[in-house]
Amino acid sequence: MAASVDISNSAQSHPVTDLRIVLIGGRHNDILSGKSSAGNFILGQNVFDTSRRTAQSEVRQQEVFSRRVTVVDTPGWWWFWHREDTPKLNQIEIQNSVHLCPPGPHVFLLAIPVDLYLPQWVKASLKQHLKLFNADVFSHTIVLFTAVAPSTYDEKKSRIRRSPTLQWILQQCGNRKHFLNISNREDRDQVKKLLEKIETLITNNGFRHCSVDRSQGETLRKEMRDLTERASKMFDQVQKQRNKLKLQIEGRLKVLFLIRYRALCGRK
């Protein structure tokens, strides 16, 4: 478990000029984590597509409050699924995210809607999916509670207190958290405070980023190419079978039409 560090109101007198962020999180039914929206909010521009599910890891970069901020958005997993139930290509995309911000991310922002109810058994899902990174992710993680409706700080804290699972997640992350109202894009002070918390985390980690095995990057890219090629071949085979079946059906319909036509002509 990561050591508990209170960074709720901390700020750095010497800001880090280069911040590398990876957004991670799960989903439940129609409730999305808000990762892509949070990424757009942080960067101050609509650079991530929020109209669809994130299918592959994407990286964007902007200057934010005199810092060069790199944000990687990742595919989300289903909170109630074990890792083996998550599609292999999604797992590879999640793993590959850390290779899109070399030499490695300073922080993982674990996006969780503040109103989302998470039962106890999602702990296993979270731990299993974070093992995809082969690193001590919790010591580099801040829980990013996302919200679309305004609420007071006390109301947000009350929701967390009522959720043993959220309390457990926060304990794993050293009680590091930030609330982000993604519907209030004009309030840039939310982003400024988040960046300050990230800088405090970087300082507490001795300015070390999350360790990344560079050799794994090429292996992951090869796996993605192989999976994509196999999927493409399977798609082509299915299309050929569908076209063949379509021709067979059309041929039989023509035969039936001719038989019926001749039968009708024979009656005249």
Side-chain angles (χ1 to χ4, degrees), residues 15-261:
V16 180
T17 57
D18 183 20
L19 299 178
R20 299 184 297 277
I21 301 168
V22 172
L23 291 163
I24 57 176
R27 55 187 298 179
H28 172 52
N29 292 336
D30 294 329
I31 303 176
L32 304 180
S33 63
K35 291 186 289 79
S36 301
S37 296
N40 289 337
F41 196 166
I42 292 169
L43 295 178
Q45 295 190 27
N46 293 325
V47 291
F48 295 114
D49 189 351
T50 58
S51 65
R52 57 173 176 79
R53 184 185 70 84
T54 303
Q56 61 186 32
S57 292
E58 300 176 347
V59 60
R60 299 290 186 270
Q61 188 178 88
Q62 295 287 341
E63 183 173 322
V64 183
F65 292 112
S66 301
R67 303 162 175 89
R68 184 177 63 179
V69 179
T70 302
V71 176
V72 182
D73 192 15
T74 64
W77 63 83
W78 290 96
W79 275 112
F80 297 157
W81 283 11
H82 291 290
R83 194 175 102 183
E84 59 264 26
D85 298 322
T86 297
K88 182 62 177 177
L89 192 55
N90 281 6
Q91 294 188 44
I92 294 174
E93 285 288 348
I94 293 171
Q95 285 179 291
N96 189 51
S97 63
V98 297
H99 297 279
L100 299 180
C101 53
H106 291 112
V107 63
F108 293 90
L109 294 182
L110 176 58
I112 303 176
V114 70
D115 293 325
L116 179 63
Y117 170 73
L118 292 176
Q120 293 275 7
W121 62 78
V122 304
K123 296 178 184 178
S125 174
L126 176 61
K127 288 191 288 187
Q128 289 171 8
H129 283 91
L130 292 189
K131 285 182 180 179
L132 288 168
F133 297 108
N134 297 321
D136 183 13
V137 178
F138 281 125
S139 65
H140 292 271
T141 298
I142 295 175
V143 180
L144 185 67
F145 289 109
T146 58
V148 294
S151 59
T152 66
Y153 184 72
D154 288 339
E155 288 174 335
K156 296 169 185 173
K157 289 188 68 175
S158 176
R159 290 170 187 155
I160 295 172
R161 281 197 300 268
R162 294 197 301 267
S163 172
T165 304
L166 290 180
Q167 292 181 42
W168 176 85
I169 293 174
L170 282 172
Q171 288 173 359
Q172 307 308 303
C173 301
N175 199 39
R176 293 181 293 270
K177 62 183 179 296
H178 186 74
F179 296 100
L180 192 69
N181 186 344
I182 55 180
S183 63
N184 188 7
R185 295 281 294 272
E186 295 180 358
D187 184 7
R188 297 296 294 167
D189 193 50
Q190 296 184 81
V191 176
K192 185 176 182 181
K193 290 179 179 178
L194 173 60
L195 298 185
E196 290 171 353
K197 292 180 181 181
I198 294 173
E199 289 169 346
T200 299
L201 173 61
I202 294 172
T203 302
N204 292 337
N205 283 334
F207 294 92
R208 294 187 302 272
H209 56 75
C210 187
S211 60
V212 173
D213 183 356
R214 295 184 181 181
S215 63
Q216 185 192 43
E218 182 55 39
T219 302
L220 290 172
R221 285 188 286 273
K222 184 178 184 304
E223 282 189 72
M224 280 191 283
R225 287 194 298 268
D226 292 343
L227 282 172
T228 302
E229 288 176 5
R230 286 202 297 269
S232 179
K233 289 180 180 178
M234 289 179 62
F235 178 79
D236 290 341
Q237 290 175 355
V238 170
Q239 286 295 102
K240 288 179 181 178
Q241 291 175 352
R242 290 181 63 182
N243 291 335
K244 183 178 179 180
L245 182 60
K246 181 181 178 181
L247 290 173
Q248 290 176 345
I249 293 173
E250 289 176 348
R252 291 179 181 179
L253 288 174
K254 287 180 180 178
V255 171
L256 290 173
F257 174 79
L258 288 173
I259 293 174
R260 183 173 178 80
Y261 176 76

